Amino acid sequence: MNGDLNFHIGDKVVYPNHGVGIVEQISSRSIGATVEKFYLLNIKASSLKVMVPCNNVGSVGIRRVVRNGEVQKILDFLSVADDLGTADWKDRFKENSDRMRTGSLFEVAGVLKSLIALHQAKPLSFREKKMLERARYLLVSELAMSRNCEEPKIEELLGLALAKCNLRFPEASEFQA
């Protein structure tokens, strides 16, 4: 088993597309002749409890919360303008969905940035709006956990970073129906 994917009780981890969670316990179960180890994760947002076999951690894409140094790289990435693909929305949606599933916070930040830019140019489709809301949530919650601070502080940092390339970080309230 890859050393990076060995978690301990109390570790802060990210479950792709679900957000940050804490390893609450590590248990073993006998399945026939084999004993399987499981991580019990408590997903912060939904208070969902998820059991993940330790052997599946890699395939599910569970990883540690990004380190503080990575946070700065993400903020730097968000503050630089890049040109946007103008692909058909279905292609774009599929590409963004794939990026969200990687579980990489850089990919999530990329989706956030491209959808914000698009949103400033024209109204987003319902599904893209939902995805922007999801990306925003995943980014804010993980960075807040990484820096061990409140989410509004992170929202402020993200807002400042995006403002450098004339993008406006959306408020959470914009997504409430």
Side-chain angles (χ1 to χ4, degrees):
M1 187 139 95
N2 166 342
D4 271 343
L5 300 177
N6 247 330
F7 303 119
H8 302 97
I9 291 176
D11 281 357
K12 297 170 177 177
V13 297
V14 175
Y15 193 123
N17 243 333
H18 290 280
V20 286
I22 308 264
V23 177
E24 276 199 344
Q25 64 189 80
I26 301 170
S27 54
S28 301
R29 255 194 210 158
S30 301
I31 301 169
T34 57
V35 175
E36 273 226 61
K37 270 178 68 186
F38 290 87
Y39 291 120
L40 180 69
L41 306 180
N42 184 355
I43 306 296
K44 189 171 165 259
S46 50
S47 304
L48 200 67
K49 304 257 196 241
V50 187
M51 286 191 80
V52 183
C54 296
N55 306 336
N56 294 7
V57 164
S59 56
V60 173
I62 293 174
R63 60 172 174 76
R64 292 184 191 290
V65 165
V66 292
R67 297 206 165 78
N68 214 347
E70 296 285 296
V71 175
Q72 195 50 55
K73 284 189 200 145
I74 288 171
L75 292 171
D76 293 344
F77 162 74
L78 289 174
S79 64
V80 181
D82 40 23
D83 68 341
L84 296 160
T86 47
D88 171 52
W89 87 267
K90 285 192 194 90
D91 298 339
R92 193 173 59 230
F93 186 80
K94 184 186 175 324
E95 186 185 311
N96 282 340
S97 298
D98 292 344
R99 290 172 76 185
M100 294 287 281
R101 267 194 296 274
T102 63
S104 151
L105 204 57
F106 269 101
E107 293 293 347
V108 171
V111 169
L112 175 92
K113 190 169 159 186
S114 68
L115 287 176
I116 288 175
L118 195 68
H119 181 50
Q120 283 179 205
K122 61 179 201 228
L124 294 178
S125 71
F126 176 75
R127 288 168 71 187
E128 286 188 307
K129 215 178 209 165
K130 280 286 179 231
M131 186 176 285
L132 174 55
E133 178 183 12
R134 188 94 209 116
R136 180 191 191 286
Y137 165 73
L138 293 170
L139 199 61
V140 170
S141 58
E142 181 167 352
L143 294 181
M145 196 175 252
S146 173
R147 286 226 160 147
N148 211 353
C149 66
E150 295 299 311
E151 294 188 357
K153 179 130 188 55
I154 294 296
E155 291 173 356
E156 196 181 317
L157 287 173
L158 292 170
L160 291 169
L162 285 161
K164 290 181 186 156
C165 56
N166 296 318
L167 293 177
R168 191 182 64 79
F169 186 62
E171 310 263 334
S173 58
E174 291 174 41
F175 298 107
Q176 266 101 46

